[in-house]
Amino acid sequence: MDRNARTLRQFDGSTEEAVAALLEAANTYEHKLWKVTRREIFKCSSRSYFLRIHGRMATYGFVLQLAELVHDTSEPTSTFPG
């Protein structure tokens, strides 16, 4: 099983826009399935969902979470907050 975290989308916007984008991702993400036959979305919090998608031969479960980038070492002028 693939247990790596990955970024599905990046954007600049308000918290409300980010929450809407998170729900949109839960409604459209298909992983490696050729055809999704069933999609179950469970709300864990206002910033996370558990997504279960079913295909013909397999079922996958994912946790989708909203995260804010607070530090990036690739930007030379950035400093860690705190």
Side-chain angles (χ1 to χ4, degrees), residues 42-74:
F42 302 87
K43 186 173 186 174
C44 302
S45 72
S46 63
R47 297 174 62 104
S48 68
Y49 292 94
F50 176 74
L51 170 64
R52 187 181 300 143
I53 52 177
H54 304 261
R56 278 188 32 231
M57 304 292 282
T59 299
Y60 294 93
F62 303 95
V63 174
L64 300 162
Q65 294 181 315
L66 182 60
E68 179 181 4
L69 178 64
V70 295
H71 180 69
D72 185 348
T73 59
S74 69

PDB file of all heavy atoms in Angstrom, residues 42-74:
ATOM      1  N   PHE A  42     -16.456  10.963   4.328  1.00  0.00           N
ATOM      2  CA  PHE A  42     -16.745  11.117   5.749  1.00  0.00           C
ATOM      3  C   PHE A  42     -16.045  12.377   6.243  1.00  0.00           C
ATOM      4  O   PHE A  42     -14.842  12.540   6.043  1.00  0.00           O
ATOM      5  CB  PHE A  42     -16.222   9.918   6.548  1.00  0.00           C
ATOM      6  CG  PHE A  42     -16.787   8.606   6.103  1.00  0.00           C
ATOM      7  CD1 PHE A  42     -16.187   7.888   5.076  1.00  0.00           C
ATOM      8  CD2 PHE A  42     -17.918   8.089   6.712  1.00  0.00           C
ATOM      9  CE1 PHE A  42     -16.695   6.668   4.665  1.00  0.00           C
ATOM     10  CE2 PHE A  42     -18.439   6.868   6.305  1.00  0.00           C
ATOM     11  CZ  PHE A  42     -17.824   6.156   5.277  1.00  0.00           C
ATOM     12  N   LYS A  43     -16.777  13.267   6.883  1.00  0.00           N
ATOM     13  CA  LYS A  43     -16.185  14.487   7.423  1.00  0.00           C
ATOM     14  C   LYS A  43     -15.603  14.184   8.797  1.00  0.00           C
ATOM     15  O   LYS A  43     -16.311  13.757   9.706  1.00  0.00           O
ATOM     16  CB  LYS A  43     -17.245  15.585   7.537  1.00  0.00           C
ATOM     17  CG  LYS A  43     -16.671  16.917   7.955  1.00  0.00           C
ATOM     18  CD  LYS A  43     -17.739  17.996   7.879  1.00  0.00           C
ATOM     19  CE  LYS A  43     -17.133  19.351   8.157  1.00  0.00           C
ATOM     20  NZ  LYS A  43     -18.115  20.415   7.958  1.00  0.00           N
ATOM     21  N   CYS A  44     -14.298  14.382   8.942  1.00  0.00           N
ATOM     22  CA  CYS A  44     -13.612  14.165  10.224  1.00  0.00           C
ATOM     23  C   CYS A  44     -13.566  15.453  11.030  1.00  0.00           C
ATOM     24  O   CYS A  44     -13.710  15.428  12.243  1.00  0.00           O
ATOM     25  CB  CYS A  44     -12.194  13.656   9.985  1.00  0.00           C
ATOM     26  SG  CYS A  44     -12.128  12.134   9.045  1.00  0.00           S
ATOM     27  N   SER A  45     -13.344  16.558  10.341  1.00  0.00           N
ATOM     28  CA  SER A  45     -13.325  17.884  10.959  1.00  0.00           C
ATOM     29  C   SER A  45     -13.595  18.895   9.853  1.00  0.00           C
ATOM     30  O   SER A  45     -13.785  18.513   8.700  1.00  0.00           O
ATOM     31  CB  SER A  45     -11.964  18.162  11.619  1.00  0.00           C
ATOM     32  OG  SER A  45     -10.972  18.380  10.634  1.00  0.00           O
ATOM     33  N   SER A  46     -13.567  20.166  10.183  1.00  0.00           N
ATOM     34  CA  SER A  46     -13.803  21.179   9.151  1.00  0.00           C
ATOM     35  C   SER A  46     -12.636  21.255   8.163  1.00  0.00           C
ATOM     36  O   SER A  46     -12.761  21.846   7.104  1.00  0.00           O
ATOM     37  CB  SER A  46     -14.026  22.548   9.790  1.00  0.00           C
ATOM     38  OG  SER A  46     -12.865  22.954  10.483  1.00  0.00           O
ATOM     39  N   ARG A  47     -11.497  20.604   8.504  1.00  0.00           N
ATOM     40  CA  ARG A  47     -10.311  20.648   7.658  1.00  0.00           C
ATOM     41  C   ARG A  47      -9.848  19.278   7.182  1.00  0.00           C
ATOM     42  O   ARG A  47      -8.752  19.145   6.642  1.00  0.00           O
ATOM     43  CB  ARG A  47      -9.176  21.344   8.399  1.00  0.00           C
ATOM     44  CG  ARG A  47      -9.476  22.801   8.730  1.00  0.00           C
ATOM     45  CD  ARG A  47      -8.395  23.409   9.580  1.00  0.00           C
ATOM     46  NE  ARG A  47      -7.110  23.440   8.924  1.00  0.00           N
ATOM     47  CZ  ARG A  47      -6.549  24.508   8.397  1.00  0.00           C
ATOM     48  NH1 ARG A  47      -7.167  25.654   8.474  1.00  0.00           N
ATOM     49  NH2 ARG A  47      -5.363  24.443   7.834  1.00  0.00           N
ATOM     50  N   SER A  48     -10.663  18.233   7.370  1.00  0.00           N
ATOM     51  CA  SER A  48     -10.245  16.914   6.902  1.00  0.00           C
ATOM     52  C   SER A  48     -11.439  16.020   6.598  1.00  0.00           C
ATOM     53  O   SER A  48     -12.493  16.123   7.225  1.00  0.00           O
ATOM     54  CB  SER A  48      -9.325  16.237   7.919  1.00  0.00           C
ATOM     55  OG  SER A  48     -10.034  15.910   9.091  1.00  0.00           O
ATOM     56  N   TYR A  49     -11.242  15.148   5.608  1.00  0.00           N
ATOM     57  CA  TYR A  49     -12.238  14.174   5.187  1.00  0.00           C
ATOM     58  C   TYR A  49     -11.563  12.820   5.026  1.00  0.00           C
ATOM     59  O   TYR A  49     -10.393  12.743   4.662  1.00  0.00           O
ATOM     60  CB  TYR A  49     -12.851  14.552   3.825  1.00  0.00           C
ATOM     61  CG  TYR A  49     -13.707  15.784   3.858  1.00  0.00           C
ATOM     62  CD1 TYR A  49     -13.182  17.023   3.549  1.00  0.00           C
ATOM     63  CD2 TYR A  49     -15.050  15.707   4.208  1.00  0.00           C
ATOM     64  CE1 TYR A  49     -13.971  18.163   3.579  1.00  0.00           C
ATOM     65  CE2 TYR A  49     -15.844  16.842   4.235  1.00  0.00           C
ATOM     66  CZ  TYR A  49     -15.291  18.067   3.930  1.00  0.00           C
ATOM     67  OH  TYR A  49     -16.068  19.186   3.963  1.00  0.00           O
ATOM     68  N   PHE A  50     -12.327  11.770   5.281  1.00  0.00           N
ATOM     69  CA  PHE A  50     -11.884  10.427   4.918  1.00  0.00           C
ATOM     70  C   PHE A  50     -12.653  10.055   3.662  1.00  0.00           C
ATOM     71  O   PHE A  50     -13.886  10.148   3.622  1.00  0.00           O
ATOM     72  CB  PHE A  50     -12.165   9.404   6.025  1.00  0.00           C
ATOM     73  CG  PHE A  50     -11.797   8.005   5.623  1.00  0.00           C
ATOM     74  CD1 PHE A  50     -10.472   7.622   5.557  1.00  0.00           C
ATOM     75  CD2 PHE A  50     -12.770   7.094   5.280  1.00  0.00           C
ATOM     76  CE1 PHE A  50     -10.121   6.338   5.159  1.00  0.00           C
ATOM     77  CE2 PHE A  50     -12.438   5.806   4.878  1.00  0.00           C
ATOM     78  CZ  PHE A  50     -11.106   5.430   4.825  1.00  0.00           C
ATOM     79  N   LEU A  51     -11.932   9.668   2.638  1.00  0.00           N
ATOM     80  CA  LEU A  51     -12.521   9.334   1.347  1.00  0.00           C
ATOM     81  C   LEU A  51     -12.320   7.846   1.081  1.00  0.00           C
ATOM     82  O   LEU A  51     -11.208   7.345   1.171  1.00  0.00           O
ATOM     83  CB  LEU A  51     -11.844  10.162   0.251  1.00  0.00           C
ATOM     84  CG  LEU A  51     -12.148   9.808  -1.203  1.00  0.00           C
ATOM     85  CD1 LEU A  51     -13.616  10.028  -1.518  1.00  0.00           C
ATOM     86  CD2 LEU A  51     -11.259  10.627  -2.127  1.00  0.00           C
ATOM     87  N   ARG A  52     -13.398   7.153   0.762  1.00  0.00           N
ATOM     88  CA  ARG A  52     -13.324   5.751   0.355  1.00  0.00           C
ATOM     89  C   ARG A  52     -13.882   5.663  -1.048  1.00  0.00           C
ATOM     90  O   ARG A  52     -15.031   6.046  -1.292  1.00  0.00           O
ATOM     91  CB  ARG A  52     -14.126   4.872   1.306  1.00  0.00           C
ATOM     92  CG  ARG A  52     -13.949   3.382   1.029  1.00  0.00           C
ATOM     93  CD  ARG A  52     -14.776   2.515   1.959  1.00  0.00           C
ATOM     94  NE  ARG A  52     -14.398   2.735   3.349  1.00  0.00           N
ATOM     95  CZ  ARG A  52     -15.285   2.741   4.355  1.00  0.00           C
ATOM     96  NH1 ARG A  52     -16.564   2.571   4.138  1.00  0.00           N
ATOM     97  NH2 ARG A  52     -14.874   2.934   5.579  1.00  0.00           N
ATOM     98  N   ILE A  53     -13.037   5.216  -1.983  1.00  0.00           N
ATOM     99  CA  ILE A  53     -13.498   5.072  -3.360  1.00  0.00           C
ATOM    100  C   ILE A  53     -13.410   3.600  -3.770  1.00  0.00           C
ATOM    101  O   ILE A  53     -12.454   2.901  -3.445  1.00  0.00           O
ATOM    102  CB  ILE A  53     -12.732   5.983  -4.345  1.00  0.00           C
ATOM    103  CG1 ILE A  53     -11.220   5.821  -4.219  1.00  0.00           C
ATOM    104  CG2 ILE A  53     -13.120   7.422  -4.176  1.00  0.00           C
ATOM    105  CD1 ILE A  53     -10.432   6.630  -5.219  1.00  0.00           C
ATOM    106  N   HIS A  54     -14.451   3.166  -4.452  1.00  0.00           N
ATOM    107  CA  HIS A  54     -14.575   1.780  -4.882  1.00  0.00           C
ATOM    108  C   HIS A  54     -14.485   1.720  -6.399  1.00  0.00           C
ATOM    109  O   HIS A  54     -15.104   2.519  -7.095  1.00  0.00           O
ATOM    110  CB  HIS A  54     -15.947   1.205  -4.469  1.00  0.00           C
ATOM    111  CG  HIS A  54     -16.224   1.299  -3.011  1.00  0.00           C
ATOM    112  ND1 HIS A  54     -16.043   0.242  -2.154  1.00  0.00           N
ATOM    113  CD2 HIS A  54     -16.672   2.327  -2.239  1.00  0.00           C
ATOM    114  CE1 HIS A  54     -16.373   0.599  -0.930  1.00  0.00           C
ATOM    115  NE2 HIS A  54     -16.754   1.867  -0.957  1.00  0.00           N
ATOM    116  N   GLY A  55     -13.751   0.737  -6.877  1.00  0.00           N
ATOM    117  CA  GLY A  55     -13.698   0.444  -8.306  1.00  0.00           C
ATOM    118  C   GLY A  55     -14.219  -0.964  -8.529  1.00  0.00           C
ATOM    119  O   GLY A  55     -14.763  -1.595  -7.624  1.00  0.00           O
ATOM    120  N   ARG A  56     -14.038  -1.468  -9.734  1.00  0.00           N
ATOM    121  CA  ARG A  56     -14.500  -2.835 -10.030  1.00  0.00           C
ATOM    122  C   ARG A  56     -13.747  -3.869  -9.209  1.00  0.00           C
ATOM    123  O   ARG A  56     -14.330  -4.847  -8.759  1.00  0.00           O
ATOM    124  CB  ARG A  56     -14.299  -3.131 -11.513  1.00  0.00           C
ATOM    125  CG  ARG A  56     -15.386  -2.594 -12.383  1.00  0.00           C
ATOM    126  CD  ARG A  56     -15.288  -3.044 -13.846  1.00  0.00           C
ATOM    127  NE  ARG A  56     -14.717  -4.366 -14.013  1.00  0.00           N
ATOM    128  CZ  ARG A  56     -13.714  -4.660 -14.845  1.00  0.00           C
ATOM    129  NH1 ARG A  56     -13.155  -3.726 -15.573  1.00  0.00           N
ATOM    130  NH2 ARG A  56     -13.266  -5.885 -14.946  1.00  0.00           N
ATOM    131  N   MET A  57     -12.433  -3.666  -9.034  1.00  0.00           N
ATOM    132  CA  MET A  57     -11.599  -4.697  -8.422  1.00  0.00           C
ATOM    133  C   MET A  57     -10.991  -4.292  -7.081  1.00  0.00           C
ATOM    134  O   MET A  57     -10.433  -5.138  -6.392  1.00  0.00           O
ATOM    135  CB  MET A  57     -10.455  -5.061  -9.377  1.00  0.00           C
ATOM    136  CG  MET A  57     -10.930  -5.499 -10.741  1.00  0.00           C
ATOM    137  SD  MET A  57     -11.796  -7.058 -10.719  1.00  0.00           S
ATOM    138  CE  MET A  57     -10.462  -8.192 -10.599  1.00  0.00           C
ATOM    139  N   ALA A  58     -11.036  -3.033  -6.718  1.00  0.00           N
ATOM    140  CA  ALA A  58     -10.344  -2.585  -5.510  1.00  0.00           C
ATOM    141  C   ALA A  58     -11.085  -1.444  -4.843  1.00  0.00           C
ATOM    142  O   ALA A  58     -11.871  -0.739  -5.470  1.00  0.00           O
ATOM    143  CB  ALA A  58      -8.920  -2.140  -5.858  1.00  0.00           C
ATOM    144  N   THR A  59     -10.809  -1.285  -3.552  1.00  0.00           N
ATOM    145  CA  THR A  59     -11.325  -0.177  -2.763  1.00  0.00           C
ATOM    146  C   THR A  59     -10.143   0.491  -2.087  1.00  0.00           C
ATOM    147  O   THR A  59      -9.258  -0.180  -1.561  1.00  0.00           O
ATOM    148  CB  THR A  59     -12.313  -0.674  -1.695  1.00  0.00           C
ATOM    149  OG1 THR A  59     -13.420  -1.302  -2.362  1.00  0.00           O
ATOM    150  CG2 THR A  59     -12.829   0.462  -0.837  1.00  0.00           C
ATOM    151  N   TYR A  60     -10.114   1.818  -2.125  1.00  0.00           N
ATOM    152  CA  TYR A  60      -9.030   2.585  -1.519  1.00  0.00           C
ATOM    153  C   TYR A  60      -9.599   3.572  -0.513  1.00  0.00           C
ATOM    154  O   TYR A  60     -10.681   4.120  -0.722  1.00  0.00           O
ATOM    155  CB  TYR A  60      -8.257   3.378  -2.585  1.00  0.00           C
ATOM    156  CG  TYR A  60      -7.514   2.514  -3.571  1.00  0.00           C
ATOM    157  CD1 TYR A  60      -8.105   2.146  -4.775  1.00  0.00           C
ATOM    158  CD2 TYR A  60      -6.231   2.077  -3.297  1.00  0.00           C
ATOM    159  CE1 TYR A  60      -7.432   1.362  -5.689  1.00  0.00           C
ATOM    160  CE2 TYR A  60      -5.541   1.285  -4.209  1.00  0.00           C
ATOM    161  CZ  TYR A  60      -6.144   0.935  -5.394  1.00  0.00           C
ATOM    162  OH  TYR A  60      -5.467   0.155  -6.295  1.00  0.00           O
ATOM    163  N   GLY A  61      -8.853   3.821   0.555  1.00  0.00           N
ATOM    164  CA  GLY A  61      -9.230   4.811   1.549  1.00  0.00           C
ATOM    165  C   GLY A  61      -8.141   5.866   1.672  1.00  0.00           C
ATOM    166  O   GLY A  61      -6.957   5.544   1.641  1.00  0.00           O
ATOM    167  N   PHE A  62      -8.544   7.119   1.801  1.00  0.00           N
ATOM    168  CA  PHE A  62      -7.602   8.232   1.880  1.00  0.00           C
ATOM    169  C   PHE A  62      -8.077   9.236   2.917  1.00  0.00           C
ATOM    170  O   PHE A  62      -9.278   9.454   3.062  1.00  0.00           O
ATOM    171  CB  PHE A  62      -7.515   8.986   0.537  1.00  0.00           C
ATOM    172  CG  PHE A  62      -7.125   8.125  -0.611  1.00  0.00           C
ATOM    173  CD1 PHE A  62      -8.091   7.561  -1.418  1.00  0.00           C
ATOM    174  CD2 PHE A  62      -5.795   7.873  -0.883  1.00  0.00           C
ATOM    175  CE1 PHE A  62      -7.757   6.760  -2.481  1.00  0.00           C
ATOM    176  CE2 PHE A  62      -5.439   7.065  -1.936  1.00  0.00           C
ATOM    177  CZ  PHE A  62      -6.414   6.508  -2.744  1.00  0.00           C
ATOM    178  N   VAL A  63      -7.142   9.860   3.589  1.00  0.00           N
ATOM    179  CA  VAL A  63      -7.443  11.005   4.435  1.00  0.00           C
ATOM    180  C   VAL A  63      -6.984  12.236   3.663  1.00  0.00           C
ATOM    181  O   VAL A  63      -5.822  12.340   3.274  1.00  0.00           O
ATOM    182  CB  VAL A  63      -6.726  10.917   5.799  1.00  0.00           C
ATOM    183  CG1 VAL A  63      -6.940  12.196   6.592  1.00  0.00           C
ATOM    184  CG2 VAL A  63      -7.209   9.713   6.581  1.00  0.00           C
ATOM    185  N   LEU A  64      -7.903  13.141   3.421  1.00  0.00           N
ATOM    186  CA  LEU A  64      -7.602  14.403   2.753  1.00  0.00           C
ATOM    187  C   LEU A  64      -7.659  15.495   3.799  1.00  0.00           C
ATOM    188  O   LEU A  64      -8.672  15.659   4.482  1.00  0.00           O
ATOM    189  CB  LEU A  64      -8.621  14.688   1.650  1.00  0.00           C
ATOM    190  CG  LEU A  64      -8.682  13.642   0.540  1.00  0.00           C
ATOM    191  CD1 LEU A  64      -9.974  13.766  -0.237  1.00  0.00           C
ATOM    192  CD2 LEU A  64      -7.507  13.809  -0.371  1.00  0.00           C
ATOM    193  N   GLN A  65      -6.554  16.228   3.942  1.00  0.00           N
ATOM    194  CA  GLN A  65      -6.476  17.274   4.957  1.00  0.00           C
ATOM    195  C   GLN A  65      -6.044  18.580   4.335  1.00  0.00           C
ATOM    196  O   GLN A  65      -5.235  18.611   3.412  1.00  0.00           O
ATOM    197  CB  GLN A  65      -5.475  16.903   6.040  1.00  0.00           C
ATOM    198  CG  GLN A  65      -5.885  15.718   6.863  1.00  0.00           C
ATOM    199  CD  GLN A  65      -4.870  15.406   7.945  1.00  0.00           C
ATOM    200  OE1 GLN A  65      -3.677  15.391   7.703  1.00  0.00           O
ATOM    201  NE2 GLN A  65      -5.369  15.172   9.140  1.00  0.00           N
ATOM    202  N   LEU A  66      -6.562  19.645   4.885  1.00  0.00           N
ATOM    203  CA  LEU A  66      -6.180  20.986   4.498  1.00  0.00           C
ATOM    204  C   LEU A  66      -4.947  21.374   5.303  1.00  0.00           C
ATOM    205  O   LEU A  66      -4.922  21.213   6.522  1.00  0.00           O
ATOM    206  CB  LEU A  66      -7.329  21.947   4.788  1.00  0.00           C
ATOM    207  CG  LEU A  66      -7.143  23.401   4.420  1.00  0.00           C
ATOM    208  CD1 LEU A  66      -6.895  23.545   2.931  1.00  0.00           C
ATOM    209  CD2 LEU A  66      -8.375  24.175   4.831  1.00  0.00           C
ATOM    210  N   ALA A  67      -3.919  21.834   4.632  1.00  0.00           N
ATOM    211  CA  ALA A  67      -2.686  22.236   5.316  1.00  0.00           C
ATOM    212  C   ALA A  67      -2.208  23.572   4.766  1.00  0.00           C
ATOM    213  O   ALA A  67      -2.394  23.871   3.587  1.00  0.00           O
ATOM    214  CB  ALA A  67      -1.605  21.179   5.125  1.00  0.00           C
ATOM    215  N   GLU A  68      -1.617  24.347   5.629  1.00  0.00           N
ATOM    216  CA  GLU A  68      -1.065  25.641   5.242  1.00  0.00           C
ATOM    217  C   GLU A  68       0.450  25.564   5.283  1.00  0.00           C
ATOM    218  O   GLU A  68       1.034  25.164   6.287  1.00  0.00           O
ATOM    219  CB  GLU A  68      -1.546  26.732   6.200  1.00  0.00           C
ATOM    220  CG  GLU A  68      -1.002  28.100   5.880  1.00  0.00           C
ATOM    221  CD  GLU A  68      -1.467  29.156   6.862  1.00  0.00           C
ATOM    222  OE1 GLU A  68      -2.159  28.815   7.839  1.00  0.00           O
ATOM    223  OE2 GLU A  68      -1.125  30.336   6.654  1.00  0.00           O
ATOM    224  N   LEU A  69       1.101  25.933   4.185  1.00  0.00           N
ATOM    225  CA  LEU A  69       2.551  25.977   4.139  1.00  0.00           C
ATOM    226  C   LEU A  69       3.029  27.153   4.976  1.00  0.00           C
ATOM    227  O   LEU A  69       2.633  28.293   4.734  1.00  0.00           O
ATOM    228  CB  LEU A  69       3.036  26.139   2.689  1.00  0.00           C
ATOM    229  CG  LEU A  69       4.535  26.254   2.495  1.00  0.00           C
ATOM    230  CD1 LEU A  69       5.238  24.962   2.937  1.00  0.00           C
ATOM    231  CD2 LEU A  69       4.844  26.571   1.043  1.00  0.00           C
ATOM    232  N   VAL A  70       3.844  26.884   5.990  1.00  0.00           N
ATOM    233  CA  VAL A  70       4.327  27.954   6.867  1.00  0.00           C
ATOM    234  C   VAL A  70       5.822  28.219   6.708  1.00  0.00           C
ATOM    235  O   VAL A  70       6.322  29.232   7.182  1.00  0.00           O
ATOM    236  CB  VAL A  70       4.001  27.682   8.354  1.00  0.00           C
ATOM    237  CG1 VAL A  70       2.496  27.680   8.590  1.00  0.00           C
ATOM    238  CG2 VAL A  70       4.632  26.402   8.836  1.00  0.00           C
ATOM    239  N   HIS A  71       6.535  27.311   6.034  1.00  0.00           N
ATOM    240  CA  HIS A  71       7.967  27.506   5.837  1.00  0.00           C
ATOM    241  C   HIS A  71       8.432  26.700   4.639  1.00  0.00           C
ATOM    242  O   HIS A  71       8.001  25.561   4.454  1.00  0.00           O
ATOM    243  CB  HIS A  71       8.742  27.070   7.084  1.00  0.00           C
ATOM    244  CG  HIS A  71      10.218  27.231   6.969  1.00  0.00           C
ATOM    245  ND1 HIS A  71      10.827  28.450   6.930  1.00  0.00           N
ATOM    246  CD2 HIS A  71      11.208  26.316   6.867  1.00  0.00           C
ATOM    247  CE1 HIS A  71      12.135  28.285   6.824  1.00  0.00           C
ATOM    248  NE2 HIS A  71      12.388  26.991   6.778  1.00  0.00           N
ATOM    249  N   ASP A  72       9.294  27.270   3.828  1.00  0.00           N
ATOM    250  CA  ASP A  72       9.834  26.580   2.662  1.00  0.00           C
ATOM    251  C   ASP A  72      11.284  27.011   2.494  1.00  0.00           C
ATOM    252  O   ASP A  72      11.566  28.172   2.249  1.00  0.00           O
ATOM    253  CB  ASP A  72       9.011  26.939   1.424  1.00  0.00           C
ATOM    254  CG  ASP A  72       9.437  26.169   0.193  1.00  0.00           C
ATOM    255  OD1 ASP A  72      10.505  25.518   0.212  1.00  0.00           O
ATOM    256  OD2 ASP A  72       8.697  26.201  -0.805  1.00  0.00           O
ATOM    257  N   THR A  73      12.213  26.072   2.629  1.00  0.00           N
ATOM    258  CA  THR A  73      13.633  26.408   2.551  1.00  0.00           C
ATOM    259  C   THR A  73      14.084  26.753   1.139  1.00  0.00           C
ATOM    260  O   THR A  73      15.179  27.259   0.965  1.00  0.00           O
ATOM    261  CB  THR A  73      14.508  25.254   3.076  1.00  0.00           C
ATOM    262  OG1 THR A  73      14.253  24.081   2.298  1.00  0.00           O
ATOM    263  CG2 THR A  73      14.239  24.991   4.543  1.00  0.00           C
ATOM    264  N   SER A  74      13.270  26.499   0.128  1.00  0.00           N
ATOM    265  CA  SER A  74      13.654  26.846  -1.236  1.00  0.00           C
ATOM    266  C   SER A  74      13.517  28.339  -1.505  1.00  0.00           C
ATOM    267  O   SER A  74      14.006  28.831  -2.515  1.00  0.00           O
ATOM    268  CB  SER A  74      12.823  26.057  -2.246  1.00  0.00           C
ATOM    269  OG  SER A  74      11.488  26.491  -2.228  1.00  0.00           O
TER     270      SER A  74
END
